[in-house]
Amino acid sequence: MITLSTISDLRQQIGLWRSSGERIALVPTMGNLHAGHLTLVRRAREQADRVIVTIFVNPMQFGAGEDFDSYPRTMEQDTAALSAEGADLLFAPSVTQVYGNNREQHTQVEVPGISDILCGASRPGHFVGVATVVCKLFNMVQPDLALFGNKDFQQLMVIRLMVKDLCLPIEIIGVPTVREDDGLALSSRNGYLTAEERQQAPELRRIMLETASAIQSGERDYAKLEKKATQELEKAGFSPDYYSIRSAVDLSDPGDEACDLVVLAAAYLGKARLIDNIQAHSPSG
Ligand code: PAF
């Protein structure tokens, strides 16, 4: 596996692959790779000749007081894991390489509306940071396809809308969430959980499965379901940020018509902010 850190080296290598007609997949990450990321790499290998993985802890998507400085950076293990998984190229640029020296006046990419709800409401500016860096990575690599985990459901929707609005010729593939045996979605932030919190953490998934099953049995009082789930989360030791049933098509509040729904939640357990989602079909929609 080739490891590069400058855009000019990256472009030179990609140029060689492109000139021999190879199909290129991109897997953008912030590192501290787990089995979920490695699944993205595996899927990418099935669909492209070359797989490029980026590791960049993007300062623009962290708010003041968030965990940018303490975000786990595990480059040595990540490099070994990617190499074992058969990635062709790891691109790990510095902050200056990506943003230059004047981040305050850097161009930003904003997908309005959807970026301001749910995670975007609790983390103002987060999705502008995500859209901006993903757009830049797309322009650096110009991949044929890019893969993202479904765990970040709202992020995936922001990226799909950005690609559509900016007419970027890139296929976006969402890959199912990888979970621990007890249902906890894999996340780099799970490492913040104490042993006791780790025991409690799967309650989030259990409660969400309960909500999905109620929706699937025809319950349409979504406010009641959200309230019940929030109370259960609190009882299990979480501090819920949001627990919301939305249209899976555009994340709008589901009216009486919507039948493709998604339950989304974010909740703190100690220092860790856990997010998860589950799609549910309402039979009466
Ligand atoms: O999901 C992530 O790890 C990040 O938000 C991403 C897509 C790599 C952008 O920094």
Side-chain angles (χ1 to χ4, degrees), residues 206-281:
R206 190 195 60 74
I207 292 166
M208 296 182 83
L209 281 167
E210 229 174 59
T211 306
S213 143
I215 292 170
Q216 267 146 212
S217 319
E219 176 59 75
R220 296 192 63 102
D221 188 343
Y222 302 138
K224 187 176 94 183
L225 290 179
E226 288 167 355
K227 189 167 166 208
K228 176 168 176 271
T230 304
Q231 285 167 348
E232 281 187 47
L233 277 173
E234 281 164 352
K235 244 200 305 186
F238 289 82
S239 303
D241 178 358
Y242 63 78
Y243 194 99
S244 196
I245 299 166
R246 300 281 174 124
S247 153
V249 177
D250 57 8
L251 293 187
S252 61
D253 278 320
D256 288 340
E257 301 303 312
C259 54
D260 287 326
L261 303 176
V262 56
V263 186
L264 305 115
Y268 285 91
L269 195 52
K271 270 197 343 199
R273 183 175 183 277
L274 304 181
I275 64 170
D276 207 344
N277 67 82
I278 183 168
Q279 285 186 251
H281 188 83

Side-chain angles (χ1 to χ4, degrees), residues 28-30 37 56 58 61 126 130 133-134 148 152 155 159:
T29 82
M30 298 205 300
H37 297 111
F56 180 63
N58 172 33
Q61 69 187 75
H126 170 67
V130 170
V133 81
V134 171
F148 298 86
D152 299 284
Q155 166 173 284
I159 291 166

